[in-house]
Amino acid sequence: CWSGDGRHIATTSEDRTARIWSLDADLATACVAHEKAPDHCSFFPDGRRLLTTMRSGEAVISDVRGRQRAVLRGHRGGAN
């Protein structure tokens, strides 16, 4: 997914990570580890936080440096 400001791209992977890529760098600037593989991601409108969701019902809010800020449990569906 793209951040609202167009400066970052986030990807999710079966290796249980979400990577946040900066358009100013060739490598991922941050990596968020999860208990299960995330299946969806969406940036907050400010472009400074990322929401990743898993089919297990867990949602994780992280900053663009990859630090987890909150873990929410019990959601249904993807993040938009």
Side-chain angles (χ1 to χ4, degrees):
C1 61
W2 285 90
S3 63
D5 61 8
R7 296 179 58 204
H8 297 93
I9 299 170
T11 58
T12 60
S13 175
E14 289 295 320
D15 70 358
R16 301 183 326 201
T17 62
R19 288 183 174 81
I20 302 169
W21 306 80
S22 171
L23 295 182
D24 300 329
D26 292 334
L27 300 174
T29 57
C31 183
V32 181
H34 295 82
E35 291 180 18
K36 305 258 185 193
D39 62 351
H40 191 83
C41 65
S42 182
F43 278 95
F44 280 65
D46 66 8
R48 294 191 281 169
R49 292 169 289 162
L50 178 72
L51 174 70
T52 51
T53 60
M54 276 101 347
R55 289 186 189 105
S56 65
E58 185 176 270
V60 176
I61 299 171
S62 305
D63 63 24
V64 293
R65 292 189 176 107
R67 294 182 297 225
Q68 287 187 5
R69 297 300 182 186
V71 177
L72 311 169
R73 300 192 195 299
H75 85 92
R76 305 261 187 247
N80 293 318

